[in-house]
Amino acid sequence: MSGSRKTGAHGGRRGVRLAGTLRAAIAAIALLAGCERIDRNMWYNPAFKPQEEPVLLPPAGSVPTKGIAHVPAPGSDAARALRNPGKVTEASLREGKELFGIYCTPCHGVSGKGDGPIAKKLVPEPIDISGSGYGGFASEGQLFSVVTHGADGMPSFYEDLTPAERWKLVSYVKTLK
């Protein structure tokens, strides 16, 4: 038996390979078994339907990612008392006019009289925000509050415009005759 190999108690190299493979398989099963709980967390998350209030609210005193910004509701005394924190300059009025052209003209028209190209299709129809209408007697703060929150069919521009842009827009509206 010169060409034959001796096999040990574990079957030689084949036995060592089999034992190594078996250990690796057991380790993989143990590791993957631990992943079951992590993976299942996604199955048990609460789902909310559109317009449904979330069950969990942020902790009291937490700060939103965009910072703390509170603008009083339209029509309130606090809204009427708001004042433009920036200076009204030619540049700010020019930017306000540009923003008015983008966000307000389709509904309120170039003059702010509520006669924009899509005004007749809206219910309720846009109001006159020129100096002879609502813009003439509403305070800067009241207009800022309406632009921020929206009112009477007008959408909120809180997400679209920064506070500085909203104040520039209000400053331009106050110049409309």
Side-chain angles (χ1 to χ4, degrees):
M1 291 194 143
S2 62
S4 68
R5 285 193 224 156
K6 287 187 171 183
T7 58
H10 297 291
R13 289 184 187 165
R14 185 173 177 202
V16 170
R17 261 191 262 151
L18 183 62
T21 305
L22 186 60
R23 283 188 202 128
I26 290 172
I29 289 171
L31 288 173
L32 291 175
C35 293
E36 172 68 18
R37 288 188 181 176
I38 294 170
D39 186 42
R40 283 291 182 201
N41 285 341
M42 294 182 73
W43 290 91
Y44 300 118
N45 278 335
F48 303 107
K49 294 180 181 177
Q51 309 286 325
E52 184 179 57
E53 289 291 324
V55 176
L56 299 175
L57 298 174
S62 62
V63 177
T65 57
K66 293 183 179 181
I68 296 175
H70 173 70
V71 177
S76 67
D77 290 335
R80 284 186 210 69
L82 288 175
R83 296 289 173 251
N84 189 343
K87 284 192 168 195
V88 179
T89 63
E90 287 297 319
S92 68
L93 287 175
R94 206 172 21 259
E95 189 176 341
K97 181 178 182 178
E98 183 179 325
L99 293 168
F100 185 85
I102 295 167
Y103 293 98
C104 307
T105 300
C107 302
H108 294 283
V110 176
S111 63
K113 301 270 186 203
D115 57 356
I118 65 168
K120 295 289 182 203
K121 297 176 183 169
L122 299 174
V123 175
E125 287 187 13
I127 64 168
D128 179 357
I129 57 169
S130 68
S132 61
Y134 184 72
F137 65 85
S139 70
E140 288 180 325
Q142 182 65 18
L143 290 171
F144 182 79
S145 180
V146 169
V147 170
T148 301
H149 296 291
D152 298 328
M154 180 179 144
S156 164
F157 290 106
Y158 177 80
E159 296 288 331
D160 302 316
L161 300 170
T162 65
E165 289 173 328
R166 284 180 265 152
W167 279 116
K168 290 173 184 175
L169 179 64
V170 166
S171 296
Y172 176 72
V173 168
K174 291 303 272 182
T175 67
L176 295 175
K177 302 284 181 214

